[in-house]
């Protein structure tokens, strides 16, 4: 079994793009353990475990900046992470409620054979666009979940939660 991977191999194995892995390296979120003599990035099993952690935190809805703070060991409590997730969920619910309201408004107008004003139609399209963008972001995150399953299939051990705790502290945004 291969214990070292070049960036292209890691990308193919995880379903991430090479561009994403390079970007993560560029922002200091996820860098390779080494490089070949010709300068190619080389990743090992420890790197794969770290990437699993990063993608798991992203799956919770954290931004890359928030994930970086946690991975870098800055103090984030589990309560902070839950609060961030709760805030994002509330935002999603508000967006969906607004979309429902706009659709109901359009439906009522159309049922009474009324035409839509440009403003009503634009408002509906705006909310639909925001909802669609959120949907596709969630789908992308779902695709990245495959990394966790892949790591398990490769037999990589996950960090011991007793040794890898997120300690107290708070994120002040």
């Amino acid at each position: 079994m291969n214990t070292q991977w070049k960036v292209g191999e890691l990308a193919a194995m995880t379903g991430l793009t090479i561009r994403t892995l390079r970007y993560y390296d560029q922002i200091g979120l996820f860098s390779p353990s080494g490089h070949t003599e010709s300068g190619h990035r080389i990743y090992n099993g420890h790197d794969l475990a770290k990437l699993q952690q990063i993608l798991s935190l992203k799956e919770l809805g954290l931004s890359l900046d928030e994930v970086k703070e946690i991975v870098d060991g800055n103090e984030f409590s589990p309560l902070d992470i839950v609060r961030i997730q709760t805030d994002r969920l509330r935002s999603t619910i508000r967006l969906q409620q607004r979309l429902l309201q706009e659709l109901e408004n359009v439906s009522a107008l159309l049922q009474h054979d009324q035409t839509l004003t440009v403003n009503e139609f634009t408002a509906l399209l705006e909310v639909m666009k925001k909802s669609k963008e959120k949907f596709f972001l969630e789908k992308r995150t779902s695709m990245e979940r495959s990394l966790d399953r892949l790591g398990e299939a490769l037999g990589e051990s996950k960090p011991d939660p007793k040794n890898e705790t997120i300690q107290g502290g708070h994120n002040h945004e």
Side-chain angles (χ1 to χ4, degrees), residues 102 105-106 109 114-125:
E102 293 294 333
N105 181 39
V106 168
L109 290 172
Q114 295 179 0
T115 58
L116 295 176
T117 67
V118 171
N119 288 340
E120 291 165 333
F121 187 67
T122 303
L124 176 62
L125 290 177

Side-chain angles (χ1 to χ4, degrees), residues 58-69:
K58 278 186 60 195
E59 188 175 326
L60 287 175
L62 301 177
S63 71
L64 289 179
D65 288 336
E66 292 163 336
V67 170
K68 187 174 183 324
E69 284 188 49

